[in-house]
Amino acid sequence: MQFVIVTGMSGAGKSTLLNIFEDLGYYCVDNLPPKLINNLADFCLEGGSGIDKVALGIDIRGGKRFSDLFDGLDSLQARHLSYTIIFLESNDNKLLHRYKETRRNHPLSPSIIDGITEERQLLEPVKQKATYIIDTSLLLVRHLREKIIEVYCNSKEFDLIVYIQSFGFKFGLPQLSDLVFDVRFMPNPFYVHEFKTKTGLDEPVRAFVMESDVSKKFLQDLLNLLIFLIPQYVKEGKNQLIISVGCTGGKHRSVTVARELHDGLAAVGHSVVISHRDITA
């Protein structure tokens, strides 16, 4: 019998994650009162239930205190039933954006930002006990699905996820960056008439940026550095690395280098997610 506890910030994607587990054959229960975990285990263990994989959605709607959750998990452990806890995280700006999109109220406060702040404080004890913490701020659903399949279907070690984003310095530095690289020293396609309205997603622009020896050496040295650094971050328990690559406008050089980094790190087996913050600005 395998139990997965899905918890975390409201708006971080818990319902989406439960849907993924349901597709993988898990018996899913959302918003289960923590006091009923032991009862659910009894039900699943009954002869003929056919349930051997369970995913439970537990969040702030189940109460402001998580002592009942910890008691329920202790009872599973006492019965030699294994469980993992997945905590979904997201930054404040992304959570605010999602609430505005759905026009939903925060379960703790009429003020969304106050509710988010209070929820972070209340969820800290369960976050500290989480097996995996996944930041969904930059994560697409398909990337989340791929990671869950990798961990729960292939029994591989939970690897660090590398997020690479391009940006333009004139629009400000990205929040939550672990590493920031300035590529404004590279050849600038903006001053080439036929490239001015194109982006680093276009092959001629990519070729223009990467044809210089300086660009080639920088990219190779940067890849070597990251290939060295990532295992060191993993050893320290880090589960995500956010790399931001910036040029002036965020459309040409930074997009090109972000793509090259994505392909280079993916080629050596790392889980990589890419986004371009200012490409349409």
Side-chain angles (χ1 to χ4, degrees):
M1 176 67 66
Q2 182 183 30
F3 282 83
V4 179
I5 310 300
V6 177
T7 187
M9 296 296 295
S10 301
K14 295 187 297 296
S15 296
T16 298
L17 184 52
L18 284 174
N19 290 336
I20 292 172
F21 276 111
E22 189 171 32
D23 292 342
L24 296 177
Y26 281 70
Y27 181 79
C28 297
V29 182
D30 192 14
N31 197 23
L32 180 78
K35 285 186 177 182
L36 298 181
I37 290 178
N38 213 26
N39 301 78
L40 179 62
D42 289 336
F43 168 73
C44 294
L45 292 170
E46 287 180 358
S49 73
I51 300 173
D52 60 358
K53 299 186 296 183
V54 180
L56 306 179
I58 306 285
D59 59 28
I60 205 66
R61 293 172 296 171
K64 294 185 178 181
R65 296 178 61 86
F66 278 88
S67 57
D68 290 341
L69 172 59
F70 299 145
D71 290 343
L73 296 179
D74 287 343
S75 70
L76 292 180
Q77 198 165 22
R79 300 170 69 171
H80 305 290
L81 299 174
S82 65
Y83 69 85
T84 54
I85 301 175
I86 300 178
F87 188 98
L88 295 186
E89 177 65 281
S90 191
N91 65 53
D92 287 358
N93 286 341
K94 182 60 70 172
L95 291 175
L96 283 168
H97 178 71
R98 289 170 182 169
Y99 271 106
K100 289 178 180 178
E101 277 189 333
T102 60
R103 298 185 180 181
R104 296 186 63 194
N105 295 322
H106 195 279
L108 293 182
S109 173
S111 165
I112 295 176
I113 190 62
D114 289 345
I116 291 173
T117 301
E118 182 180 358
E119 186 177 17
R120 287 198 189 281
Q121 296 172 348
L122 294 171
L123 291 178
E124 187 59 29
V126 71
K127 183 178 180 179
Q128 293 296 326
K129 292 182 178 290
T131 313
Y132 308 126
I133 300 174
I134 303 176
D135 191 328
T136 64
S137 302
L138 302 175
L139 204 63
L140 299 177
V141 173
R142 65 183 178 88
H143 295 133
L144 180 60
R145 180 183 296 275
E146 288 169 1
K147 179 53 63 178
I148 294 303
I149 290 173
E150 177 185 314
V151 174
Y152 286 91
C153 295
N154 299 336
S155 299
K156 293 182 180 178
E157 182 181 356
F158 191 79
D159 194 13
L160 175 146
I161 303 176
V162 181
Y163 298 92
I164 300 175
Q165 61 178 331
S166 65
F167 73 96
F169 277 98
K170 73 177 183 180
F171 301 110
L173 286 169
Q175 292 184 339
L176 304 178
S177 299
D178 295 302
L179 300 171
V180 177
F181 296 99
D182 183 348
V183 297
R184 286 176 290 187
F185 62 88
M186 289 183 170
N188 192 352
F190 180 80
Y191 296 109
V192 179
H193 178 72
E194 61 266 33
F195 295 155
K196 190 169 185 178
T197 59
K198 295 183 182 296
T199 73
L201 298 179
D202 296 301
E203 183 57 27
V205 173
R206 188 207 67 80
F208 177 85
V209 173
M210 295 308 303
E211 70 181 357
S212 81
D213 291 338
V214 169
S215 297
K216 291 174 184 176
K217 181 165 183 6
F218 172 77
L219 178 66
Q220 189 56 59
D221 288 349
L222 182 53
L223 274 171
N224 290 338
L225 174 64
L226 294 174
I227 290 169
F228 167 77
L229 285 176
I230 289 171
Q232 315 313 314
Y233 286 126
V234 172
K235 288 178 184 178
E236 290 299 314
K238 195 172 181 63
N239 55 59
Q240 66 172 14
L241 181 67
I242 302 177
I243 302 171
S244 298
V245 182
C247 62
T248 304
K251 293 179 174 60
H252 298 102
R253 294 168 289 181
S254 61
V255 173
T256 296
V257 175
R259 290 178 61 201
E260 296 290 331
L261 287 179
H262 172 277
D263 294 347
L265 292 175
V268 295
H270 291 296
S271 299
V272 193
V273 178
I274 190 170
S275 64
H276 304 294
R277 192 191 71 177
D278 300 323
I279 197 168
T280 60

Coordinates of all heavy atoms in Angstrom, one line a residue, residues 18-97:
L18 N -3.4 16.0 -8.4 CA -4.2 14.8 -8.1 C -4.8 14.2 -9.4 O -4.9 13.0 -9.5 CB -5.4 15.3 -7.2 CG -5.0 15.5 -5.7 CD1 -6.2 16.0 -5.0 CD2 -4.6 14.2 -5.1
N19 N -5.1 15.1 -10.4 CA -5.5 14.5 -11.7 C -4.5 13.7 -12.3 O -4.8 12.6 -12.9 CB -5.9 15.7 -12.6 CG -7.2 16.4 -12.1 OD1 -8.0 15.8 -11.4 ND2 -7.4 17.6 -12.6
I20 N -3.2 14.1 -12.2 CA -2.1 13.3 -12.7 C -2.0 12.0 -12.0 O -1.9 10.9 -12.7 CB -0.8 14.1 -12.6 CG1 -0.8 15.3 -13.5 CG2 0.4 13.2 -12.9 CD1 0.4 16.3 -13.3
F21 N -2.1 12.0 -10.7 CA -2.1 10.7 -10.0 C -3.3 9.8 -10.3 O -3.1 8.6 -10.4 CB -2.0 10.9 -8.5 CG -0.6 11.2 -8.0 CD1 -0.3 12.4 -7.5 CD2 0.3 10.2 -7.9 CE1 1.0 12.7 -7.0 CE2 1.6 10.4 -7.5 CZ 1.9 11.6 -7.0
E22 N -4.4 10.4 -10.6 CA -5.6 9.6 -11.0 C -5.3 8.9 -12.3 O -5.7 7.8 -12.5 CB -6.8 10.5 -11.0 CG -8.1 9.7 -11.2 CD -9.3 10.6 -11.1 OE1 -9.3 11.8 -11.4 OE2 -10.4 10.1 -10.6
D23 N -4.7 9.7 -13.2 CA -4.4 9.1 -14.5 C -3.4 7.9 -14.4 O -3.3 7.0 -15.2 CB -3.8 10.1 -15.5 CG -4.8 11.2 -15.9 OD1 -6.0 10.9 -15.7 OD2 -4.4 12.3 -16.3
L24 N -2.6 7.9 -13.3 CA -1.6 6.9 -13.1 C -2.2 5.7 -12.3 O -1.4 4.8 -11.9 CB -0.4 7.5 -12.4 CG 0.4 8.5 -13.1 CD1 1.6 9.1 -12.3 CD2 1.0 8.0 -14.4
G25 N -3.5 5.7 -12.1 CA -4.1 4.6 -11.4 C -4.2 4.7 -9.9 O -4.6 3.7 -9.2
Y26 N -4.0 5.9 -9.3 CA -4.1 6.1 -7.9 C -5.6 6.4 -7.5 O -6.3 7.0 -8.3 CB -3.3 7.3 -7.4 CG -1.8 7.0 -7.3 CD1 -1.0 6.8 -8.4 CD2 -1.2 6.9 -6.0 CE1 0.4 6.5 -8.2 CE2 0.1 6.6 -5.9 CZ 0.9 6.4 -7.0 OH 2.2 6.1 -6.8
Y27 N -6.0 5.9 -6.4 CA -7.3 6.2 -5.8 C -7.1 7.6 -5.1 O -6.4 7.7 -4.2 CB -7.7 5.2 -4.8 CG -9.1 5.4 -4.2 CD1 -10.2 5.1 -4.9 CD2 -9.2 5.9 -2.9 CE1 -11.5 5.3 -4.3 CE2 -10.4 6.2 -2.3 CZ -11.6 5.9 -3.0 OH -12.8 6.1 -2.5
C28 N -7.8 8.6 -5.7 CA -7.6 10.0 -5.2 C -8.7 10.5 -4.4 O -9.9 10.3 -4.7 CB -7.3 10.9 -6.4 SG -5.8 10.5 -7.4
V29 N -8.4 11.2 -3.3 CA -9.4 11.8 -2.4 C -8.9 13.2 -2.1 O -7.8 13.4 -1.6 CB -9.5 11.1 -1.1 CG1 -10.6 11.7 -0.2 CG2 -9.9 9.6 -1.3
D30 N -9.7 14.2 -2.5 CA -9.3 15.6 -2.2 C -10.0 16.2 -1.0 O -11.1 15.8 -0.7 CB -9.7 16.5 -3.5 CG -9.0 17.9 -3.4 OD1 -8.1 18.1 -2.6 OD2 -9.5 18.7 -4.2
N31 N -9.2 17.0 -0.3 CA -9.7 17.7 0.9 C -10.2 16.7 2.0 O -11.3 16.9 2.6 CB -10.9 18.7 0.5 CG -11.1 19.7 1.6 OD1 -10.3 20.0 2.5 ND2 -12.3 20.3 1.6
L32 N -9.5 15.6 2.2 CA -9.9 14.7 3.2 C -9.5 15.3 4.6 O -8.4 15.7 4.8 CB -9.1 13.4 3.0 CG -9.4 12.3 4.0 CD1 -10.7 11.6 3.7 CD2 -8.3 11.2 4.0
P33 N -10.5 15.2 5.5 CA -10.1 15.7 6.9 C -9.0 14.8 7.4 O -9.1 13.5 7.4 CB -11.4 15.5 7.7 CG -12.5 15.6 6.7 CD -11.9 14.9 5.4
P34 N -7.9 15.3 7.9 CA -6.8 14.5 8.3 C -7.1 13.4 9.3 O -6.5 12.4 9.4 CB -5.8 15.5 8.9 CG -6.1 16.8 8.2 CD -7.6 16.8 8.0
K35 N -8.1 13.7 10.2 CA -8.5 12.7 11.2 C -9.0 11.4 10.5 O -9.0 10.3 11.2 CB -9.6 13.2 12.1 CG -9.1 14.2 13.1 CD -10.3 14.6 14.0 CE -9.8 15.6 15.1 NZ -10.8 16.0 16.1
L36 N -9.4 11.4 9.2 CA -9.9 10.3 8.6 C -8.9 9.4 7.8 O -9.3 8.5 7.1 CB -11.1 10.7 7.6 CG -12.3 11.4 8.3 CD1 -13.3 11.7 7.2 CD2 -12.9 10.5 9.4
I37 N -7.6 9.8 7.9 CA -6.6 9.1 7.2 C -6.6 7.6 7.6 O -6.5 6.7 6.8 CB -5.2 9.7 7.4 CG1 -5.2 11.1 6.7 CG2 -4.1 8.8 6.9 CD1 -3.9 11.8 6.9
N38 N -6.7 7.4 8.9 CA -6.6 6.0 9.4 C -7.9 5.2 8.9 O -7.8 4.0 8.6 CB -6.6 6.0 10.9 CG -5.8 4.8 11.4 OD1 -4.9 4.3 10.8 ND2 -6.1 4.4 12.7
N39 N -9.0 5.9 8.9 CA -10.2 5.2 8.4 C -10.1 4.8 6.9 O -10.5 3.7 6.5 CB -11.5 6.1 8.6 CG -11.7 6.4 10.1 OD1 -11.0 7.3 10.6 ND2 -12.6 5.8 10.7
L40 N -9.5 5.7 6.1 CA -9.3 5.4 4.7 C -8.4 4.3 4.5 O -8.6 3.4 3.7 CB -8.8 6.7 4.0 CG -8.5 6.5 2.5 CD1 -9.8 6.2 1.8 CD2 -7.8 7.8 1.9
A41 N -7.3 4.2 5.4 CA -6.4 3.1 5.3 C -7.2 1.8 5.6 O -6.9 0.8 4.9 CB -5.3 3.3 6.3
D42 N -8.0 1.8 6.6 CA -8.8 0.6 6.9 C -9.7 0.1 5.7 O -9.7 -1.0 5.3 CB -9.8 0.8 8.1 CG -9.0 1.0 9.4 OD1 -7.9 0.4 9.5 OD2 -9.6 1.6 10.3
F43 N -10.3 1.1 5.0 CA -11.1 0.8 3.9 C -10.3 0.2 2.7 O -10.7 -0.7 2.1 CB -11.8 2.1 3.4 CG -12.5 2.0 2.0 CD1 -13.6 1.3 1.9 CD2 -11.9 2.6 0.9 CE1 -14.2 1.2 0.6 CE2 -12.5 2.5 -0.3 CZ -13.7 1.8 -0.5
C44 N -9.1 0.8 2.5 CA -8.3 0.3 1.4 C -7.7 -1.1 1.6 O -7.5 -1.8 0.7 CB -7.1 1.3 1.1 SG -7.7 2.9 0.6
L45 N -7.5 -1.4 2.9 CA -6.9 -2.7 3.3 C -8.0 -3.8 3.3 O -7.6 -5.0 3.5 CB -6.2 -2.6 4.6 CG -4.9 -1.7 4.6 CD1 -4.4 -1.5 6.0 CD2 -3.8 -2.4 3.7
E46 N -9.2 -3.4 3.2 CA -10.3 -4.4 3.3 C -10.1 -5.4 2.1 O -9.7 -5.0 1.0 CB -11.7 -3.8 3.2 CG -12.1 -3.1 4.5 CD -13.5 -2.5 4.3 OE1 -14.1 -2.6 3.2 OE2 -14.0 -1.9 5.3
G47 N -10.4 -6.6 2.3 CA -10.3 -7.6 1.2 C -11.2 -7.3 0.0 O -12.3 -6.9 0.3
G48 N -10.6 -7.3 -1.1 CA -11.4 -7.0 -2.3 C -11.5 -5.6 -2.7 O -12.2 -5.3 -3.8
S49 N -10.9 -4.7 -2.0 CA -11.0 -3.3 -2.4 C -10.2 -3.0 -3.6 O -10.6 -2.1 -4.4 CB -10.5 -2.4 -1.2 OG -9.1 -2.4 -1.1
G50 N -9.2 -3.7 -3.8 CA -8.3 -3.5 -5.0 C -7.5 -2.3 -5.0 O -7.0 -1.9 -6.1
I51 N -7.5 -1.6 -3.9 CA -6.8 -0.3 -3.8 C -5.4 -0.5 -3.2 O -5.3 -0.9 -2.0 CB -7.6 0.8 -3.0 CG1 -9.0 1.0 -3.7 CG2 -6.8 2.1 -2.9 CD1 -9.9 1.9 -2.9
D52 N -4.4 -0.2 -3.9 CA -3.0 -0.3 -3.4 C -2.2 1.0 -3.5 O -1.1 1.0 -3.1 CB -2.3 -1.5 -4.0 CG -2.1 -1.4 -5.5 OD1 -2.6 -0.4 -6.0 OD2 -1.5 -2.3 -6.1
K53 N -2.8 2.0 -4.2 CA -2.1 3.3 -4.4 C -3.1 4.4 -4.1 O -4.2 4.4 -4.8 CB -1.5 3.4 -5.8 CG -0.5 2.4 -6.1 CD 0.2 2.6 -7.5 CE -0.8 2.5 -8.6 NZ -0.2 2.7 -9.9
V54 N -2.8 5.3 -3.2 CA -3.7 6.3 -2.8 C -3.0 7.7 -2.8 O -1.9 7.8 -2.3 CB -4.3 6.0 -1.3 CG1 -5.3 7.2 -0.9 CG2 -4.9 4.7 -1.3
A55 N -3.7 8.7 -3.4 CA -3.2 10.1 -3.3 C -4.2 10.9 -2.6 O -5.4 10.9 -3.0 CB -3.0 10.6 -4.7
L56 N -3.8 11.6 -1.5 CA -4.7 12.4 -0.7 C -4.4 13.9 -0.9 O -3.2 14.3 -0.7 CB -4.6 12.0 0.8 CG -4.7 10.5 1.1 CD1 -4.5 10.4 2.6 CD2 -6.1 10.1 0.7
G57 N -5.4 14.7 -1.2 CA -5.2 16.1 -1.2 C -5.5 16.7 0.2 O -6.7 16.6 0.6
I58 N -4.5 17.2 0.8 CA -4.7 17.8 2.2 C -4.2 19.3 2.1 O -3.1 19.5 1.7 CB -3.8 17.1 3.2 CG1 -4.2 15.6 3.2 CG2 -4.1 17.7 4.6 CD1 -5.5 15.2 3.9
D59 N -5.1 20.2 2.4 CA -4.6 21.6 2.4 C -5.2 22.4 3.5 O -5.8 21.9 4.5 CB -4.9 22.3 1.0 CG -6.4 22.3 0.7 OD1 -7.2 22.3 1.6 OD2 -6.7 22.2 -0.5
I60 N -5.1 23.7 3.4 CA -5.5 24.6 4.5 C -7.0 24.5 4.8 O -7.5 24.9 5.9 CB -5.1 26.1 4.2 CG1 -4.9 26.8 5.5 CG2 -6.0 26.7 3.3 CD1 -3.8 26.3 6.4
R61 N -7.8 24.0 3.8 CA -9.2 23.9 4.0 C -9.6 22.9 5.0 O -10.6 22.9 5.6 CB -9.9 23.5 2.7 CG -9.9 24.6 1.6 CD -10.4 24.0 0.3 NE -9.5 22.9 -0.2 CZ -9.9 22.2 -1.3 NH1 -11.0 22.3 -1.9 NH2 -9.0 21.2 -1.7
G62 N -8.6 22.0 5.3 CA -8.8 20.9 6.3 C -8.6 21.4 7.7 O -8.7 20.6 8.7
G63 N -8.3 22.7 7.9 CA -8.1 23.2 9.2 C -6.7 23.9 9.3 O -5.8 23.6 8.6
K64 N -6.7 24.9 10.2 CA -5.5 25.7 10.3 C -4.3 25.0 11.0 O -3.2 25.5 11.0 CB -5.8 27.0 11.0 CG -6.7 27.9 10.2 CD -6.9 29.3 10.9 CE -7.9 30.2 10.1 NZ -8.0 31.5 10.7
R65 N -4.6 23.9 11.7 CA -3.6 23.2 12.5 C -3.4 21.8 11.8 O -4.3 21.2 11.4 CB -3.9 23.0 13.9 CG -4.0 24.4 14.7 CD -4.5 24.1 16.1 NE -3.5 23.3 16.8 CZ -2.4 23.8 17.4 NH1 -2.2 25.1 17.4 NH2 -1.6 23.0 18.1
F66 N -2.1 21.4 11.7 CA -1.8 20.2 11.0 C -1.5 19.0 12.0 O -0.9 18.0 11.6 CB -0.7 20.4 10.0 CG -1.2 21.0 8.7 CD1 -1.3 22.3 8.6 CD2 -1.6 20.1 7.7 CE1 -1.7 22.9 7.4 CE2 -2.0 20.7 6.5 CZ -2.1 22.0 6.3
S67 N -1.8 19.2 13.3 CA -1.5 18.2 14.2 C -2.2 16.9 13.9 O -1.7 15.8 14.0 CB -1.8 18.6 15.7 OG -3.2 19.0 15.7
D68 N -3.5 17.0 13.4 CA -4.3 15.9 13.0 C -3.6 15.1 11.8 O -3.6 13.9 11.8 CB -5.7 16.2 12.6 CG -6.5 16.7 13.8 OD1 -6.1 16.4 14.9 OD2 -7.5 17.4 13.6
L69 N -3.0 15.9 10.9 CA -2.3 15.3 9.8 C -1.1 14.5 10.3 O -0.9 13.3 9.9 CB -1.9 16.4 8.8 CG -0.9 15.9 7.6 CD1 -1.6 14.8 6.8 CD2 -0.5 17.1 6.8
F70 N -0.3 15.1 11.1 CA 0.9 14.4 11.6 C 0.5 13.1 12.4 O 1.1 12.1 12.3 CB 1.7 15.3 12.5 CG 2.2 16.5 11.7 CD1 2.3 17.7 12.4 CD2 2.6 16.4 10.4 CE1 2.8 18.8 11.7 CE2 3.0 17.5 9.7 CZ 3.1 18.7 10.3
D71 N -0.6 13.2 13.2 CA -1.1 12.0 13.9 C -1.5 10.9 12.9 O -1.3 9.7 13.1 CB -2.3 12.4 14.8 CG -1.9 13.2 16.0 OD1 -0.7 13.3 16.3 OD2 -2.8 13.9 16.6
G72 N -2.2 11.3 11.8 CA -2.6 10.4 10.8 C -1.5 9.7 10.2 O -1.5 8.5 9.9
L73 N -0.4 10.5 9.9 CA 0.8 9.9 9.2 C 1.5 9.0 10.2 O 2.0 8.0 9.8 CB 1.7 11.0 8.7 CG 1.1 11.9 7.7 CD1 2.1 13.0 7.3 CD2 0.7 11.1 6.4
D74 N 1.5 9.3 11.5 CA 2.1 8.5 12.5 C 1.4 7.1 12.5 O 2.0 6.1 12.7 CB 2.1 9.1 13.9 CG 3.1 10.3 14.0 OD1 4.0 10.3 13.1 OD2 3.0 11.1 14.9
S75 N 0.1 7.2 12.4 CA -0.7 5.9 12.4 C -0.4 5.0 11.2 O -0.3 3.8 11.3 CB -2.2 6.2 12.5 OG -2.7 6.7 11.3
L76 N -0.2 5.7 10.1 CA 0.2 4.9 8.9 C 1.6 4.2 9.1 O 1.8 3.1 8.8 CB 0.3 5.8 7.6 CG -1.0 6.4 7.1 CD1 -0.7 7.3 5.9 CD2 -2.0 5.3 6.8
Q77 N 2.5 5.0 9.7 CA 3.8 4.5 9.9 C 3.8 3.3 10.9 O 4.5 2.3 10.8 CB 4.8 5.6 10.4 CG 6.2 5.3 10.3 CD 7.1 6.5 10.5 OE1 6.6 7.5 11.0 NE2 8.3 6.5 10.0
A78 N 2.9 3.5 11.9 CA 2.8 2.4 12.9 C 2.3 1.1 12.3 O 2.6 0.0 12.8 CB 1.9 2.9 14.1
R79 N 1.5 1.3 11.2 CA 1.0 0.1 10.6 C 1.9 -0.4 9.4 O 1.5 -1.2 8.6 CB -0.4 0.4 10.1 CG -1.4 0.8 11.2 CD -2.7 1.3 10.6 NE -3.5 0.3 10.0 CZ -4.8 0.5 9.6 NH1 -5.4 1.7 9.8 NH2 -5.4 -0.4 9.0
H80 N 3.1 0.2 9.3 CA 4.1 -0.2 8.3 C 3.5 0.1 6.9 O 3.8 -0.6 6.0 CB 4.5 -1.6 8.5 CG 5.0 -2.0 9.8 ND1 6.2 -1.6 10.3 CD2 4.4 -2.7 10.8 CE1 6.3 -2.0 11.5 NE2 5.3 -2.7 11.9
L81 N 2.8 1.2 6.8 CA 2.3 1.7 5.5 C 3.2 2.9 5.1 O 3.3 3.8 5.8 CB 0.8 2.1 5.5 CG -0.1 0.9 5.9 CD1 -1.6 1.5 6.1 CD2 -0.1 -0.2 4.9
S82 N 3.8 2.8 3.9 CA 4.7 3.8 3.4 C 3.9 5.0 2.9 O 2.8 4.9 2.3 CB 5.6 3.3 2.4 OG 4.9 2.9 1.2
Y83 N 4.5 6.2 3.0 CA 3.9 7.4 2.5 C 5.0 8.4 2.1 O 6.1 8.4 2.6 CB 2.9 8.1 3.4 CG 3.6 8.7 4.7 CD1 4.1 10.0 4.6 CD2 3.7 7.9 5.9 CE1 4.7 10.5 5.8 CE2 4.3 8.5 7.0 CZ 4.8 9.8 6.9 OH 5.4 10.3 8.0
T84 N 4.7 9.3 1.1 CA 5.5 10.4 0.8 C 4.6 11.7 0.8 O 3.4 11.6 0.6 CB 6.2 10.2 -0.6 OG1 5.1 10.0 -1.6 CG2 7.2 9.1 -0.6
I85 N 5.3 12.8 1.0 CA 4.5 14.1 1.1 C 5.1 14.9 0.0 O 6.3 15.2 -0.1 CB 4.7 14.8 2.4 CG1 4.2 13.9 3.6 CG2 4.0 16.2 2.4 CD1 4.4 14.6 4.9
I86 N 4.2 15.4 -0.9 CA 4.6 16.3 -2.0 C 4.0 17.7 -1.6 O 2.8 17.9 -1.4 CB 4.1 15.9 -3.4 CG1 4.6 14.6 -3.8 CG2 4.5 17.0 -4.4 CD1 4.1 14.1 -5.1
F87 N 4.9 18.7 -1.5 CA 4.5 20.0 -1.1 C 4.7 20.9 -2.3 O 5.8 21.1 -2.9 CB 5.3 20.6 0.0 CG 4.8 21.9 0.6 CD1 4.0 22.0 1.7 CD2 5.1 23.1 0.0 CE1 3.5 23.2 2.2 CE2 4.7 24.3 0.4 CZ 3.9 24.4 1.6
L88 N 3.5 21.5 -2.8 CA 3.6 22.4 -4.0 C 3.7 23.8 -3.6 O 2.9 24.3 -2.7 CB 2.3 22.2 -4.8 CG 2.1 20.8 -5.5 CD1 0.9 20.9 -6.4 CD2 3.4 20.4 -6.3
E89 N 4.7 24.5 -4.1 CA 5.1 25.9 -3.8 C 4.9 26.7 -5.0 O 4.8 26.2 -6.1 CB 6.5 25.9 -3.3 CG 7.1 27.3 -3.0 CD 6.3 27.9 -1.8 OE1 5.2 28.4 -2.1 OE2 6.9 28.0 -0.7
S90 N 4.7 28.0 -4.8 CA 4.7 29.0 -6.0 C 5.0 30.4 -5.4 O 4.7 30.6 -4.2 CB 3.3 28.9 -6.7 OG 3.4 29.6 -7.9
N91 N 5.5 31.2 -6.2 CA 5.8 32.6 -5.7 C 4.6 33.4 -5.6 O 3.5 33.1 -6.3 CB 6.9 33.3 -6.5 CG 6.5 33.5 -8.0 OD1 5.5 34.2 -8.2 ND2 7.3 33.1 -8.9
D92 N 4.6 34.5 -4.9 CA 3.4 35.3 -4.6 C 2.8 35.9 -5.9 O 1.6 35.9 -6.0 CB 3.8 36.5 -3.6 CG 4.0 36.0 -2.2 OD1 3.8 34.8 -2.0 OD2 4.3 36.8 -1.3
N93 N 3.7 36.4 -6.8 CA 3.2 37.0 -8.0 C 2.4 36.0 -8.9 O 1.3 36.3 -9.4 CB 4.3 37.6 -8.8 CG 4.9 38.8 -8.3 OD1 4.2 39.5 -7.4 ND2 6.1 39.2 -8.6
K94 N 2.9 34.8 -8.9 CA 2.2 33.7 -9.7 C 0.9 33.3 -9.1 O -0.1 33.2 -9.7 CB 3.1 32.5 -9.9 CG 2.5 31.4 -10.7 CD 2.2 31.9 -12.2 CE 3.5 32.1 -13.0 NZ 3.2 32.4 -14.4
L95 N 0.9 33.2 -7.7 CA -0.4 32.9 -7.0 C -1.4 34.0 -7.2 O -2.6 33.7 -7.5 CB -0.1 32.7 -5.5 CG 0.7 31.4 -5.2 CD1 1.0 31.4 -3.7 CD2 0.0 30.2 -5.6
L96 N -1.0 35.2 -7.1 CA -1.9 36.4 -7.3 C -2.5 36.3 -8.7 O -3.7 36.5 -8.9 CB -1.2 37.7 -7.1 CG -1.0 38.1 -5.6 CD1 0.0 39.3 -5.6 CD2 -2.3 38.4 -4.9
H97 N -1.6 36.1 -9.7 CA -2.1 36.0 -11.1 C -3.1 34.9 -11.3 O -4.2 35.1 -11.9 CB -0.9 35.7 -12.0 CG -1.3 35.6 -13.5 ND1 -1.7 36.7 -14.2 CD2 -1.3 34.5 -14.3 CE1 -1.9 36.2 -15.4 NE2 -1.7 34.9 -15.5

